[in-house]
Amino acid sequence: MPTYTPPLRDMQFVMHEVLKVSDELKALPPHADVDADTINAVLEEGGKFAAEVAFPINISGDTEGCTLDKTTHAVTTPQGFKEAYAKYVEGGWAALSCDPAYGGQGLPFVVNQCFYEMMNSANQAWTMYPGLSHGAYECLHAHGTEEQKKIYLPKLTSGEWTGTMCLTEPHCGTDLGLLRTKAEPQADGTYRITGAKIFISAGEHDMTSNIVHLVLARLPDAPAGSKGISLFVVPKFKVNADGSLGERNAIYCGGLEHKMGIHGNATAQIVIDGATGTLVGQPHKGLAAMFVMMNAARLGVGNQSLGLTEVAFQNALAYAKDRIQMRSLSGTKAKDKPADPIIVHPDVRKMLLTAKAYAEGARALQCFCAVLLDKELSHPDEKVRKDSGEMLALLTPIVKAFITDNGFEATVMCQQVFGGHGYIKEWGMEQHVRDARINMIYEGTNTIQSLDLLGRKILGNNGASLKKFGKLVGQLVEEEGVNEKMAEFINPIAYLGDQMTKFTTEIGFKGLQNPDEVGAAAVDYLRVAGHLVFGYFFARMAQVALREIAAGNTDPFYGAKLQTARFYFAKLFPETATLMRTARAGSQVLMDTDLALA
Amino acid sequence: MPTYTPPLRDMQFVMHEVLKVSDELKALPPHADVDADTINAVLEEGGKFAAEVAFPINISGDTEGCTLDKTTHAVTTPQGFKEAYAKYVEGGWAALSCDPAYGGQGLPFVVNQCFYEMMNSANQAWTMYPGLSHGAYECLHAHGTEEQKKIYLPKLTSGEWTGTMCLTEPHCGTDLGLLRTKAEPQADGTYRITGAKIFISAGEHDMTSNIVHLVLARLPDAPAGSKGISLFVVPKFKVNADGSLGERNAIYCGGLEHKMGIHGNATAQIVIDGATGTLVGQPHKGLAAMFVMMNAARLGVGNQSLGLTEVAFQNALAYAKDRIQMRSLSGTKAKDKPADPIIVHPDVRKMLLTAKAYAEGARALQCFCAVLLDKELSHPDEKVRKDSGEMLALLTPIVKAFITDNGFEATVMCQQVFGGHGYIKEWGMEQHVRDARINMIYEGTNTIQSLDLLGRKILGNNGASLKKFGKLVGQLVEEEGVNEKMAEFINPIAYLGDQMTKFTTEIGFKGLQNPDEVGAAAVDYLRVAGHLVFGYFFARMAQVALREIAAGNTDPFYGAKLQTARFYFAKLFPETATLMRTARAGSQVLMDTDLALA
C-alpha cells in the first residue's frame, strides 16, 4: 500500500541551483568532470533501485526479521534481502563513491549521499548492510596497511564482502574507554582476539561469502581508558594469500537482539573466541582511526532520518488527500462527497508541512555537508581542505542530532495524520516511527552530540567554528538585507545569529566556573543551532526561488518552496524562543534535585 | 528486569493534602463515610494487585500478543491474562466504583481513578479489558432500560462478563456521521443488526463467558449524519430470561489488527451478521448516549499515559543510578568506580525530571477531575453538579491530549536514558513508547481534542468556562501574591493567565471571520492551557510543601516536591513562549500552501 517516489527534483534544486555542486566539483581533481547530467543520471537510476528493489521488501522485512540458527551461528535475513543485495552488487552500487584504484567508480560523496537518502527512504534496515560496509571500507582505506587494502578493499568495493564496526560491549557504549576485549600478539605478527561485543549492526547475515569485522580491543601493554584501544580487522573467514577464503575464524554471532525497529537488520551479539586479526593503524590509536568512520556514520544517521521523513511525508500527504472525514471548518470543500478530504484541516496541513520542511531543510544541510566532505578529501588547496573539515566537524553533531530528532517528530506526525490506521502495521507508518527512533540513540546519543557541539566544537575553540558559520549567515544578510521580499527569511536568522553569539559567550563564562552549565544547556543549544542552520538554508532556497519567479519561471516548484519556507519560519523556527529560555535557565534546577531523584 | 512500585505516597499527598478529597466526599451522600484511611487501604491493596498480578505479564503479553482461530472466531489472549482476570474478579476489583444496587462497592470515582493509574503502569493492554468493560457499565447504567440494567449490570459489576464500545467502521472514525451499520426492528421488539466494525478494543477474548457489545447503528428511518445514529446492546451470547446464557449471537471477531503496541489487547474487526440487539436510550440519540462513555474514556486515556509515564520514570531512574558511563563534567563523583553513574549528567537528570514532573502534574489534574466527576454524579446541590460538570467538560480534552502528548515525550525520554538498551525489548522501555503512542490517537485524536477545547468548550460559550478556571488561578494568586517564597510558582501562572485571556479574545474575533484560524491555533492553544493547568497544580503542591516545611515537617517528600516544581517552571513551562507565537502565526501559512502540498 505505501508508495515511494524519489525526490529527484528537490535534490537537483539543492545540488545544482542552490549549492552549485558542479562548480564546486570542478575544483576537485578526482571529480572535475562530474557534471550535473552525470549526477542526475546516476541518481535517477539509483532512485529506481531504491523504489523498485529495496522498498518492496521494507514492510515484509520488518514483519519477518532475522533469525539465528544457534547451532551453526548462521543468520537468515528476511525474504528478498539476499536477492536485493545481489542486484545491488550487480548494479555496481557498492562501488559508487569508492576509489578507482580498488575498482570504485570514484564519484563524489555528495552523489553517494543522495543515493543513500533514497535507499533509507526505501528500507533503512536493508540499507544498513551496505552502509556499514561502506564505513569499514572508508576506515581501511584511511588506516589500513597496503596488504590489508589489497586484500579487503576490492571485495568491499565490489560488494562481494560486507563489513562491520565492532565497538560496543555490554558494559560500555558511550564510554569506550571501559572496553575489555583483548588482543594478544602472536609470533606470526597477527593477534589473537577475545571478547564479547553487542549491538553490532549487520553483524551476521547470509548475503555475502565473507564479513570483514573491524574490532576495537586492548593490547596487553595498553594504558587504561580510551588511550589504550587498538583497532583490528577480523574477517569471518580468514583470507588466503591468493585472496580465496580460508578457514572459519573464531568470531561468530551468539545472539540477535529483539528490537523496537530496524527488524530487517541483524543486530548481533558477537562472540570473539580467540579469533585471528591484524592491526589497523598504530597500537593504542584505534579510537582515532575508528572516528574517521564514526564521523561519516553520523552524517549517515542524519541521512537515515532524512530518508524516513521524506517517505513518511509522501505517504501521509497521499492519505490526507484521499481520506474523507468531517467537513472543513470554513465550509464544505468537496460538495460531491459525503465529507471533505482531511487535508482541508489546518492541523493536518501543519503536520504534513512540518515533515516537508524538516525533509527539505535536512536535504540542503546534508548535501552541503557532503560537498564539504568531498572538499576535505580532494581539494588541492590545503587551507580549503582544513576549512572544509572544520566546518564539517561543526555541522556533524547538528546533522546527527537535529535531523534525527526532527525525523522522529515528523514520522510521529505523519503517523498521526493516519488516525487509527497509523497504528496498524500494514499501513507502514508506525514502522517509520520505530525505525526513526534508533537514529536518536546510536552512533553517539543525541545528548552526546550536543556535548560534542557545545563543549568541544564551539567552546573548545572559543567559538571560532561558530563564527565561520556566522560569517555565511552574515554574507547572506548583507547580500539580501535591503531586499524587501527576502526580509521575512533574513530577519529571523539575523536576529537569532546575534542572540546565539551573545548566549555562546555567556555560557562560555558560566562553563568555566561550572562545567555542568554546559551540560545543562547543550541539548537546547544544539536545537537552536540547528534552527539557525536550517533557517540559513531555507533563506538561500527562498532566494533562488524568488529569483526564478522574478525571472518569469513558471515551474510551480518555486512557489511550493516559498510556501514551505514561510511555514518553516512561522511555525517551526519559533521553537528557538523557548529553547533560549530553557538553555538560560541553567543547571541548578537540574543538579539541585537529589531529593526528587532519590 | 523492569520493576514497578505503586506511587502511594504521592497519591495520598494529592488526595489528602492538596485536594482534601475526604472533605469533598463528605458532601456527597453516597460517599460521605469514605475517609482517608479507607481510600489508602483500598489503594494499597490495589497497588499490590497491579504490581504483583498485572505487571509480571506485561512484557510477555506484548511479545505473545493475541491469536484468532479463524474457524471458531475464538481469540486467545497471552499466557496469564485469563488467570490475572480471574484474580481481578475474585478480588472484587471490577465492582470498586459500581452502584451497590447491582452489587457494586460504591466507592467514589477518584479511588477507581488511582487504582486504574496503577493498573495502567503495570499493564495497559491487560487493563483495557476491564477498562472498556467499565465504560459499557457506565453507559448502560446511565441509559439502559430497567430490564437491560437487570440483565447486564450485575454481571459487568462482578466482572463475570466484559463489555465493549463498537463505534468505528473502516471508512469512519472521527466522523461517526458516516457510519453504515444497520438495525432493523423485529416483531418481538428486538433489532436485527448488520455491519462491520473495526478497532474494537477488547473486542473478543477468552476471559469471560460473555461479552456485552455496545453498538452504534442506523435505524431504517434514520436521518443522515450524526443525528441518525442509535445505540444497541448486542451480547455475544444471547441471555435467557433467567439470566443464563442462550444461543450464540451473530456477532464475531473477523480479524485482529497487527499494531504498533498494546499487543496484549485484542483489537478486533467485528462482523455483525444479522445479530440480535436491543435499543439503548432513544432512537437516533445514540451518539449522545455514547458520549457519556466517551468522556469517561477520555479521562481514562489520560490516565493510561499517566500510568506509563510513572512506570517509565521509575525504571529510568533506577537505570540512571545503576549504569556507570563517563565521568561527571564537574569532576569525578564515584571515585571507587571506573565511571560515574549516568545520573550525574545534567541532561540525564533533565530527561528523568521531565517524566517525573509530567507524572506528578498529571496525577494532580486527574485526581482533581475525578473528584469533579464524583461531584457531578452525586452532589445534592444541582448548581454544584452543573458547575462541576462544566469544569470537567473544560478539562477533559486537556487531560486527554496534554497528558498523552506529555506521556509520549516522557516515555521517549526515559527510553533515551537507557541508550542502546532502551531500543531492546527485554528492558521494557520501548514497549512503553509503543503503548503510549495509541493514547494520542484513540478516543478522538489529540487534534480533535484541541478543537473540542478551543472551538466548543471555550469559544462556544464565549470563554465562560475558561473564566471559571481563571478564577481558581486568580484565587491562588490572591492568596499567595505577597508570599515571597511562592513568587517563583505564582508569577508565571499569573502572567500566562493574563496572556491567555487576551489571546482567547483575539482568536475569538479572528475565528468569527475565518474559522480556519481556530483550527490553526487549537493544538498550540491546548498545550498552553495544559501548562496553565499544570502550573496551577504545581503551585498548589508547592504551597502545601512550603507550609509543611515551615511547620517543621522533615519528610524529604516535601523538598522533593519543591525541586520538581522548580524544574517544571524552569524547563517545561517555558514551552508556552513558543506556543503563543506559533498559535498567533495564524492560518495563512498553513492554508495558503496548495503548491507545497500538491
Side-chain angles (χ1 to χ4, degrees), chain B residues 424-491:
Chain B
I424 307 298
K425 284 186 183 291
E426 285 76 356
W427 290 87
M429 300 307 286
E430 62 88 39
Q431 186 187 341
H432 298 320
V433 174
R434 287 185 290 105
D435 289 352
R437 184 68 186 88
I438 190 60
N439 301 339
M440 299 151 78
I441 299 173
Y442 63 13
E443 297 303 336
T445 66
N446 286 0
T447 301
I448 292 294
Q449 303 300 324
S450 74
L451 293 171
D452 180 44
L453 177 72
L454 181 57
R456 194 180 319 180
K457 305 287 173 60
I458 292 183
L459 300 178
N461 66 5
N462 284 317
S465 302
L466 182 69
K467 273 184 204 132
K468 270 186 196 164
F469 191 81
K471 220 168 158 181
L472 291 181
V473 176
Q475 276 165 9
L476 189 65
V477 172
E478 204 155 307
E479 247 174 84
E480 299 286 355
V482 293
N483 180 352
E484 251 180 63
K485 285 195 171 170
M486 279 293 287
E488 58 179 317
F489 310 116
I490 290 293
N491 291 348

Side-chain angles (χ1 to χ4, degrees), chain B residues 115-192:
Chain B
F115 173 56
Y116 264 78
E117 182 207 310
M118 297 186 284
M119 295 221 293
N120 287 323
S121 284
N123 194 330
Q124 176 171 327
W126 183 87
T127 301
M128 288 170 69
Y129 293 100
L132 267 291
S133 201
H134 194 77
Y137 161 90
E138 281 168 5
C139 190
L140 284 171
H141 192 268
H143 297 283
T145 62
E146 279 314 307
E147 201 188 339
Q148 286 167 336
K149 290 187 191 182
K150 213 181 93 195
I151 296 172
Y152 296 110
L153 291 187
K155 304 283 192 178
L156 289 171
T157 299
S158 68
E160 202 175 331
W161 299 347
T162 64
T164 76
M165 297 166 68
C166 298
L167 285 71
T168 304
E169 299 180 5
H171 61 287
C172 68
T174 299
D175 194 354
L176 288 170
L178 301 175
L179 79 77
R180 294 179 192 147
T181 297
K182 283 187 307 188
E184 296 157 296
Q186 304 298 298
D188 63 356
T190 66
Y191 294 81
R192 184 184 153 84

Side-chain angles (χ1 to χ4, degrees), chain A residues 510 514 516-518 520 583 585-592, chain B residues 346 571:
Chain A
K510 279 166 80 182
N514 178 6
D516 280 333
E517 289 291 337
V518 176
S587 72
Q588 204 193 332
V589 289
L590 301 175
M591 305 314 287
D592 200 5
Chain B
K571 299 284 188 180

Side-chain angles (χ1 to χ4, degrees), chain A residues 451-470:
Chain A
L451 293 171
D452 180 43
L453 177 72
L454 182 56
R456 195 179 320 180
K457 304 285 174 61
I458 291 182
L459 299 178
N461 65 5
N462 284 317
S465 303
L466 182 69
K467 272 183 204 134
K468 271 185 197 164
F469 191 81

Side-chain angles (χ1 to χ4, degrees), chain A residues 173 175 258 321 325-326 330 347 349 412 415 423 425-426 434 437 447 516 571 574 578 582 590 594, chain B residues 173 175 258 321 325-326 330 347 349 412 415 423 425 434 437 447 516 571 574 578 582 590 594 598:
Chain A
D175 194 355
H258 305 104
K321 288 178 185 171
Q325 205 79 179
M326 310 296 282
S330 54
D347 191 59
R349 297 176 88 90
V412 167
Q415 179 188 24
Y423 203 65
K425 284 185 184 291
E426 283 78 356
R434 288 186 289 104
R437 184 68 185 90
T447 301
D516 280 333
K571 297 284 187 181
T578 289
T582 52
L590 301 175
D594 282 351
Chain B
D175 194 354
H258 305 106
K321 288 179 186 170
Q325 204 80 178
M326 310 296 282
S330 53
D347 191 59
R349 297 177 87 90
V412 167
Q415 179 189 22
Y423 203 65
K425 284 186 183 291
R434 287 185 290 105
R437 184 68 186 88
T447 301
D516 280 333
K571 299 284 188 180
T578 289
T582 51
L590 301 175
D594 281 351

